[in-house]
Amino acid sequence: MAGTSKVLDVAGVSKRFGDVEVLSDVSFQVDKGETVCVLGPSGSGKSTLLRCINWLEQPDAGQIYVSGSQVGVNRAGLVMNDRELSAVRTRIGMVFQHFALWPHLTVLQNLMEAPIQVQRRPKGEVRDEALALLTKVGLMDKQNVFPSRLSGGQKQRVGIARALAMRPDLLLFDEPTSALDPELVTEVLAVMRDLAREGRTMVIVTHEMGFAREAATRVLFLDRGRVVETGPPNVFFAHPETERARQFLQRYAGETSAGRRSA
């Protein structure tokens, strides 16, 4: 992959939990600057796919490359040790459903900890970048606040800024708005739209169909652990090719209409 624009290459990834096959021969690539939204029903393997990309779950088969480096397996073909894996993960920023902020650190300290401790970057440089990132996500005034004093939307914006602080090649979002009250979803999606406009390379697992339609460069539709359909959002939402995708979108449209009627 050296010299190409591919940031992520997932090749033949499969994963089982006991007798349940969660991912089956999943393959796709992501170019630099793409925003790929992963859609699908609950239990289709979306979150497991992200966790395999970051090697939080070890795939049973397949290979994963980020910026040309294989994730999880070293050049000798052995599973990476913690030090090797940590080095590869510095290229991957991950934003979780439930924020995963360090409660004993202030907002600013949450952003600075990993760049200083893992990347060994100068403290002054890291601080300046962290403050700029807090400005980007609209939380400069919260730099000295502890996470317990933040709303859910603010916590998730800190989580996004913390991921960006590592200067990653690839950003992974695992349903970043699913734990938020509806009125807080908008502020998080606004930050993510800005990142998409900036040309950040992102893979986003989401149930926010409006966001996927507007911000994605490509949609990846998963069902029962398989890639059923992929394509530009305008094509996927207007003219899905598969019956399974049509059923999924019809259900989404029905739930949206019901929500509007009850509002």
Side-chain angles (χ1 to χ4, degrees):
M1 289 176 61
T4 76
S5 64
K6 302 296 179 192
V7 173
L8 175 65
D9 188 357
V10 175
V13 167
S14 297
K15 176 65 180 177
R16 302 182 73 93
F17 293 113
D19 295 331
V20 179
E21 187 175 46
V22 182
L23 296 173
S24 179
D25 195 25
V26 173
S27 297
F28 67 99
Q29 296 177 329
V30 179
D31 285 338
K32 184 175 181 179
E34 272 199 289
T35 297
V36 175
C37 283
V38 183
L39 309 181
S42 297
S44 59
K46 305 183 300 297
S47 292
T48 300
L49 174 61
L50 286 199
R51 292 176 66 83
C52 285
I53 292 171
N54 205 22
W55 213 256
L56 293 172
E57 295 286 355
Q58 184 174 333
D60 298 322
Q63 296 84 41
I64 298 162
Y65 294 86
V66 173
S67 298
S69 296
Q70 189 168 1
V71 180
V73 178
N74 62 26
R75 292 182 180 180
L78 303 174
V79 173
M80 287 180 169
N81 59 36
D82 289 344
R83 181 182 57 81
E84 293 170 323
L85 193 54
S86 179
V88 172
R89 280 181 177 152
T90 61
R91 300 181 178 185
I92 307 169
M94 189 154 183
V95 180
F96 298 89
Q97 295 179 26
H98 296 287
F99 322 128
L101 301 178
W102 289 299
H104 63 290
L105 300 180
T106 66
V107 165
L108 182 60
Q109 290 168 340
N110 261 277
L111 268 64
M112 293 178 62
E113 181 75 5
I116 291 173
Q117 299 300 326
V118 178
Q119 295 178 326
R120 304 295 182 186
R121 287 163 49 197
K123 185 175 181 179
E125 171 191 284
V126 170
R127 179 183 172 84
D128 289 344
E129 287 191 19
L131 292 173
L133 287 169
L134 288 177
T135 299
K136 177 193 285 287
V137 300
L139 291 172
M140 182 65 160
D141 61 329
K142 302 295 185 182
Q143 60 179 288
N144 295 318
V145 172
F146 287 93
S148 62
R149 303 297 298 273
L150 301 176
S151 70
Q154 290 170 337
K155 289 176 184 177
Q156 196 58 291
R157 284 186 281 155
V158 173
I160 294 171
R162 186 178 66 174
L164 291 169
M166 294 291 283
R167 300 175 176 174
D169 297 338
L170 173 68
L171 283 168
L172 305 177
F173 292 81
D174 186 9
E175 298 190 23
T177 60
S178 66
L180 301 179
D181 292 333
E183 64 268 22
L184 301 178
V185 170
T186 301
E187 65 190 57
V188 174
L189 293 182
V191 172
M192 294 169 63
R193 284 190 181 93
D194 287 344
L195 295 177
R197 283 192 287 266
E198 289 174 9
R200 301 276 185 173
T201 308
M202 301 188 289
V203 178
I204 303 170
V205 169
T206 184
H207 288 293
E208 300 290 340
M209 298 298 142
F211 171 82
R213 189 193 295 265
E214 297 168 16
T217 55
R218 186 155 46 98
V219 167
L220 197 75
F221 178 66
L222 247 61
D223 186 47
R224 298 180 182 178
R226 296 178 180 272
V227 177
V228 176
E229 191 168 336
T230 184
N234 59 322
V235 175
F236 176 79
F237 284 102
H239 305 288
E241 296 178 356
T242 63
E243 180 61 27
R244 190 65 190 92
R246 285 191 287 272
Q247 292 172 353
F248 174 79
L249 291 173
Q250 286 170 0
R251 179 181 176 188
Y252 155 72
E255 290 174 350
T256 301
S257 297
R260 290 188 184 128
R261 285 195 298 271
S262 64

